[in-house]
Amino acid sequence: MTSLKVFVIARLLLVIPTILLLVSLVFFIMRVMPGDPVIAIVGMKAPPERILELRKALGLVDESGNPIPLPIQYFNYLANLFRGDFGRSLIWGKRPVLVEIMEHLPATIELAMAGFLVSIILGVTLGTIGGWKGGKMSSAVKIYSAITYALFIPWIGMMLQLLFAVWLKVLPVGGRIDPGLEPPMITGLYLLDSILTGRWDSFVSALRHIILPSLTLGLVISGVFSRVARTSVEEIMRQDFVIAARARGIPEHRLVVHILRNAFIPIMTMMGLQLALLMTGAILTETTFSWPGMGTSLFERIEYRDYTTVQGTVVFFAIIISVINLVVDILYAYIDPRIRY
Amino acid sequence: MVSFELLIMYLSINRGELLGLVGESGSGKSSLGLSIVRLIPPPGRIVDGEITFRGMNLLKLPEKELRNIRGKHIGMIFQDPLTSLDPLRKIGDQLVETIIVHTRVNEEEAKEIALRALERVGIAPDRFDDYPHQLSGGMRQRVMIAMATMLNPDLLIADEPTTALDVIVQSRIMDLLSDLKKSMKMAILLITHDLALVIERSDRVAVMYAGELCEVGPSEVISQEPLHPYTQLLLESIPDIEKPRTKLVYIPGNPPDMRNPPTGCRFWPRCPKVMDVCKRISPRSLELDDRFVRCHLYNGGLECGK
Ligand SMILES: Nc1ncnc2c1ncn2[C@@H]1O[C@H](COP(=O)(O)OP(=O)(O)OP(=O)(O)O)[C@@H](O)[C@H]1O
Ligand code: SF4
Ligand SMILES: [Mg+2]
């Protein structure tokens, strides 16, 4: 068996305890939060039957109304999760949380991917130019990184809305697509589905709607990437092997490729680390642009104190992030042969 | 064939000659080597001078033409063979790229040239697809030598090629260099701080102190009859294996700060034979038969520098 295979298997096994830890964290945080969640949902004056019903729904008491000890609660919770049961909504007629998540997930994925793409293109290009040229260009990129990193998503989002939607009137203020133009469901990603089904009017509409939110999200995250790209390109350019390659007469356009390949590892590590920021960023962007994704839904459910849905969504988020980190690590090992040892 | 002026002194290397350049750490040996191919890392720069190679002044050559010379007509080997290779690419690919950049051959032919070059330095063909970290230090340095010499350069600049290696590997690498020198009539500039190695291996020796050349001449002549006080001290400080009980000689004092060197002869604060004139006036280089020396002792102690 090659060392790469060994690494992948070891890393796959490692993701299980990671997810377990995250999931347990969510469980215990929900339990130690002050106040009685049931009272918080229905209020002090609620009829006892309603309170009992909610206690049952939250897994706090059994069928006959006796409290379930915490370890058993925890065990039941894990067992349910293991079966893919994220619980049921406390509010919307016991709707499975997973159905709710799956309904909003594609919108969030589409926005996150678009934002990520924008941030990588912007960040890596600017960072590479800054690192490669050095001097004033490097300082300019440094300033860009500092400013974009400090931007507050709702603020920059509203600025872009004001400029492009209100004044110039070239792009929509919010939403995901013009009503009635939704493409037939294949992947749930509107841009992709409209291409797959050849619905060009849908594609244009979806594209026009995603530009501002993805630019907002992408700008903010690009600051980190431009910084990493600039510092790694600068650092790698100082390394012996670059001087040695120059001494062999390797032309600049080839050198850039080799330097970027070496810079790719820190950049990709940073991409992995930024996924949490990407997710929180997507939530803030969604609410700013009324983007119908998990973030908007999560906010709504927090307002309604729909505990099970909130808990299920957070757990789902945690799992997604662990899985993405897993993929990043494996890619990392694939690119850098030294990692496997 | 290759010549460059460093401050006041003139240095040249001929085909099939191994010139050893010695000096303390920080004396500017690497800078000299890098300046030949104009690769001094910024903010450093070459202020003035002339580097003649194949009848061209390398300091005036357009970047593009210089790039064709680097790697093809002038090869370079560095001190640390691990950091001098791209860690993410197979050594074979790095060899092939260099060949393709400089010649009109296709990938297949380039691979053949690369394999032959590896064979010549004693690296098995199955190492072609290895990454640098999979090779030992000595193997990596041999790969570097193969890469620097596979296109038959006229000049090979070897900057401390054996410093990072153990003694046995070191002597094998030196054998390899001597071999290349003879079989391919290569001119080799061997940069090192190891005077004993230079005396043993090179045809001529150039001694450097604080960015200036002190003395240049044939190895036997220099080792038998050093003229410059710094060379004399360096020779005395070589530990003698036949007389293990002698106490270690070292040169008192520290090398000067190159940004702010002493006036006059740069060696005067440490020189046992310092005279008044040394502190004021930089000595002029003096040619004696086949050697050069820069010291007031051989200038009558009176003449002005420059
Ligand atoms: N001619 C010069 N004029 C001004 N500064 C110089 C000159 N030569 C070298 N230097 C400076 O001295 C420093 C040391 O030079 P260099 O690395 O070439 O020394 P070295 O002899 O190769 O030392 P080592 O044995 O440690 O490799 C460099 O940082 C360079 O900036
Ligand atoms: S010039 Fe003077 S100080 Fe310099 S080496 Fe000669 S004697 Fe010593
Ligand atoms: Mg050096």
Side-chain angles (χ1 to χ4, degrees):
Chain A
M1 204 157 41
T2 66
S3 51
L4 183 61
K5 269 191 202 142
V6 175
F7 176 85
V8 170
I9 291 170
R11 187 62 188 75
L12 274 170
L13 290 176
L14 200 68
V15 82
I16 296 167
T18 313
I19 291 181
L20 198 65
L21 190 76
L22 283 168
V23 160
S24 311
L25 215 60
V26 174
F27 175 86
F28 287 108
I29 287 174
M30 298 294 278
R31 308 296 131 159
V32 299
M33 277 200 305
D36 185 340
V38 176
I39 303 297
I41 297 165
V42 292
M44 301 289 261
K45 298 193 189 82
E49 312 86 67
R50 175 77 180 126
I51 291 179
L52 187 64
E53 189 195 330
L54 278 175
R55 290 233 152 98
K56 277 186 200 159
L58 281 169
L60 299 175
V61 296
D62 63 16
E63 280 311 308
S64 42
N66 302 320
I68 304 176
L70 202 61
I72 309 278
Q73 280 184 34
Y74 178 60
F75 179 77
N76 288 341
Y77 162 81
L78 285 186
N80 285 340
L81 273 184
F82 191 72
R83 289 197 306 263
D85 182 359
F86 283 74
R88 283 161 184 277
S89 169
L90 293 181
I91 314 281
W92 270 266
K94 301 195 174 155
R95 207 162 171 238
V97 173
L98 200 58
V99 172
E100 171 82 18
I101 292 172
M102 284 309 164
E103 206 166 85
H104 294 100
L105 186 64
T108 300
I109 289 183
E110 189 164 42
L111 173 60
M113 281 184 2
F116 211 43
L117 197 69
V118 170
S119 70
I120 290 168
I121 293 172
L122 272 178
V124 174
T125 313
L126 289 174
T128 307
I129 293 174
W132 181 262
K133 297 274 178 211
K136 284 213 178 70
M137 198 54 105
S138 171
S139 311
V141 173
K142 221 181 271 183
I143 293 168
Y144 171 87
S145 310
I147 291 178
T148 46
Y149 190 65
L151 286 178
F152 185 49
I153 287 182
W155 181 82
I156 182 75
M158 279 189 284
M159 289 297 132
L160 290 175
Q161 280 171 333
L162 198 64
L163 181 63
F164 291 101
V166 180
W167 289 343
L168 298 175
K169 294 193 172 51
V170 287
L171 292 170
V173 180
R176 199 179 165 201
I177 199 161
D178 290 313
L181 282 180
E182 292 86 352
M185 167 92 177
I186 298 174
T187 60
L189 308 176
Y190 284 178
L191 285 172
L192 191 60
D193 288 352
S194 55
I195 292 175
L196 291 177
T197 54
R199 297 272 299 268
W200 298 113
D201 49 347
S202 302
F203 180 77
V204 171
S205 173
L207 191 64
R208 280 165 46 79
H209 279 83
I210 208 170
I211 288 176
L212 290 185
S214 61
L215 196 62
T216 305
L217 184 57
L219 259 178
V220 175
I221 297 176
S222 74
V224 189
F225 291 146
S226 60
R227 203 194 64 222
V228 184
R230 181 182 57 78
T231 50
S232 4
V233 166
E234 264 167 18
E235 192 203 300
I236 289 159
M237 280 185 47
R238 274 196 300 271
Q239 282 180 17
D240 289 350
F241 80 86
V242 176
I243 298 173
R246 284 222 160 94
R248 288 201 301 276
I250 305 297
E252 304 287 288
H253 68 269
R254 279 176 179 265
L255 221 48
V256 178
V257 177
H258 300 326
I259 290 174
L260 274 180
R261 190 204 300 252
N262 276 274
F264 192 60
I265 292 164
I267 293 173
M268 208 173 65
T269 311
M270 192 47 90
M271 285 180 194
L273 291 174
Q274 289 315 305
L275 286 165
L277 184 69
L278 182 75
M279 285 301 178
T280 42
I283 291 174
L284 285 170
T285 313
E286 282 180 8
T287 50
T288 308
F289 287 92
S290 338
W291 188 267
M294 284 170 78
T296 304
S297 136
L298 189 66
F299 261 66
E300 232 173 67
R301 296 316 166 87
I302 289 173
E303 264 166 40
Y304 287 111
R305 301 210 164 77
D306 186 352
Y307 275 78
T308 45
T309 307
V310 171
Q311 176 175 301
T313 310
V314 172
V315 165
F316 194 80
F317 259 138
I319 293 175
I320 286 188
I321 290 181
S322 325
V323 170
I324 298 176
N325 281 339
L326 169 78
V327 174
V328 169
D329 273 6
I330 290 175
L331 267 175
Y332 194 4
Y334 183 75
I335 291 170
D336 191 342
R338 290 168 299 183
I339 301 292
R340 299 170 214 166
Y341 294 83
Chain B
M1 200 181 68
V2 174
S3 63
F4 40 83
E5 228 160 26
L6 195 83
L7 292 172
I8 299 149
M9 205 149 176
Y10 173 86
L11 191 62
S12 67
I13 313 176
N14 302 310
R15 223 170 222 293
E17 182 182 60
L18 203 163
L19 175 74
L21 179 65
V22 281
E24 279 168 300
S25 183
S27 55
K29 307 181 295 290
S30 301
S31 305
L32 192 149
L34 287 171
S35 65
I36 296 175
V37 284
R38 250 164 55 195
L39 281 175
I40 297 279
R45 69 195 174 91
I46 300 167
V47 183
D48 198 10
E50 199 173 298
I51 294 168
T52 315
F53 176 78
R54 294 176 142 209
M56 298 171 283
N57 181 359
L58 295 187
L59 297 187
K60 295 263 157 63
L61 215 60
E63 182 69 23
K64 218 178 143 200
E65 284 175 47
L66 187 62
R67 203 180 297 139
N68 293 332
I69 288 178
R70 291 181 192 144
K72 185 174 187 194
H73 302 300
I74 300 181
M76 235 170 155
I77 311 170
F78 297 92
Q79 175 167 350
D80 187 343
L82 178 59
T83 59
S84 304
L85 288 162
D86 188 336
L88 302 188
R89 285 191 303 147
K90 296 171 180 169
I91 57 157
D93 293 345
Q94 305 191 40
L95 287 154
V96 165
E97 182 186 42
T98 311
I99 299 167
I100 285 182
V101 161
H102 288 296
T103 59
R104 285 172 200 282
V105 302
N106 63 27
E107 198 108 1
E108 285 294 298
E109 294 163 323
K111 186 170 175 181
E112 240 157 69
I113 297 173
L115 282 173
R116 245 180 289 138
L118 287 177
E119 194 193 334
R120 200 165 59 188
V121 298
I123 303 271
D126 60 348
R127 293 294 187 166
F128 192 82
D129 288 326
D130 274 3
Y131 290 95
H133 71 271
Q134 292 171 305
L135 305 177
S136 71
M139 281 161 104
R140 276 179 219 133
Q141 196 55 293
R142 276 183 282 158
V143 169
M144 290 303 291
I145 293 173
M147 186 139 55
T149 57
M150 65 191 168
L151 297 172
N152 299 332
D154 300 312
L155 172 66
L156 177 67
I157 301 168
D159 189 352
E160 317 229 16
T162 57
T163 310
L165 308 171
D166 68 59
V167 188
I168 297 174
V169 183
Q170 175 173 339
S171 86
R172 252 190 243 142
I173 297 277
M174 286 312 303
D175 288 344
L176 189 61
L177 289 180
S178 306
D179 217 49
L180 285 167
K181 180 191 83 171
K182 281 194 211 100
S183 62
M184 298 164 76
K185 284 255 162 267
M186 215 174 270
I188 300 180
L189 176 64
L190 175 69
I191 298 175
T192 173
H193 55 257
D194 187 346
L195 183 58
L197 179 83
V198 161
I199 298 273
E200 183 194 330
R201 295 285 187 165
S202 63
D203 304 303
R204 282 196 304 142
V205 180
V207 181
M208 204 171 170
Y209 182 79
E212 295 184 346
L213 286 169
C214 307
E215 185 163 10
V216 185
S219 309
E220 320 86 66
V221 183
I222 297 252
S223 67
Q224 294 307 315
E225 189 207 350
L227 293 179
H228 198 283
Y230 180 58
T231 319
Q232 291 167 356
L233 284 170
L234 275 183
L235 278 166
E236 275 172 40
S237 65
I238 297 176
D240 197 333
I241 311 167
E242 268 126 61
K243 293 181 273 172
R245 290 275 157 200
T246 50
K247 80 170 191 267
L248 203 65
V249 185
Y250 71 99
I251 308 168
N254 291 312
D257 179 2
M258 298 266 263
R259 283 159 300 180
N260 193 11
T263 52
C265 171
R266 290 189 172 178
F267 189 54
W268 78 255
R270 298 169 77 187
C271 181
K273 298 182 179 160
V274 59
M275 300 170 288
D276 245 8
V277 62
C278 307
K279 302 180 186 175
R280 286 180 286 111
I281 300 163
S282 184
R284 203 169 63 170
S285 73
L286 189 73
E287 197 174 346
L288 301 159
D289 304 323
D290 49 356
R291 62 197 299 196
F292 290 86
V293 65
R294 270 188 72 219
C295 171
H296 284 303
L297 289 174
Y298 309 95
N299 263 356
L302 290 168
E303 287 168 61
C304 297
K306 297 250 160 161

